[in-house]
Amino acid sequence: MHSKQEEILKACEQMCPNTLMETLDISFSEVGEDYLIAKMPVSPKVHQPDGVLHGGAMVALAESVGSAASYIFLNSKDFFIRGLEISANHVKSVKEGYVYAKAKVVHNGRTTQLWDIKIRDEEENLVSIVKLTTIALPKSK
């Protein structure tokens, strides 16, 4: 891995302490030219009562990776990134292991960004398809 990619992943990991990402054990594992990947363990902590991964946990994973991707690809520390809209279609259940969310940029505008996020299990089976729209809000100076 190139040092720039390692630097980006380290910066993403530094955003996690004392957040929902830490609570859900979300970690960032790979970054490319137009994508970011995060993973989350599937355990009883993120299960529904019937023992499968909760859809809300998948949406939290997707918004976490999409928002982090928006922040790093906007290439500015002058903005707050916030989710505007998220929609998810869950197509497969997962009981254990890890799920991996890959956020790929569809539109990277100065104000709004659109992300296509696919969540897959350890065998590369599609688990969920998520669309996330983020907005970049300028920080007060």
Side-chain angles (χ1 to χ4, degrees), residues 68-138:
S70 193
Y71 182 79
I72 64 172
F73 290 115
L74 190 61
N75 198 24
S76 175
K77 295 187 185 333
D78 298 329
F79 296 91
F80 291 110
I81 302 299
R82 299 290 183 260
L84 276 181
E85 181 179 8
I86 192 164
S87 66
N89 293 91
H90 308 304
V91 297
K92 184 177 184 341
S93 295
V94 178
K95 293 183 178 184
E96 59 188 11
Y98 280 86
V99 286
Y100 299 83
K102 183 175 186 176
K104 288 193 70 156
V105 67
V106 175
H107 168 74
N108 194 13
R110 287 181 305 198
T111 305
T112 60
Q113 303 78 39
L114 178 60
W115 296 92
D116 174 61
I117 303 164
K118 301 279 192 316
I119 300 176
R120 297 183 183 276
D121 64 15
E122 292 176 300
E123 287 79 41
E124 295 288 323
N125 296 306
L126 184 63
V127 175
S128 190
I129 299 169
V130 183
K131 181 185 82 168
L132 171 67
T133 305
T134 56
I135 186 168
L137 301 170

Side-chain angles (χ1 to χ4, degrees), residues 26 38-40 56-66 99-101 119:
I26 294 170
K39 68 179 185 175
M40 181 178 68
M58 284 190 279
V59 170
L61 170 62
E63 185 151 356
S64 297
V65 72
V99 286
Y100 299 83
I119 300 176

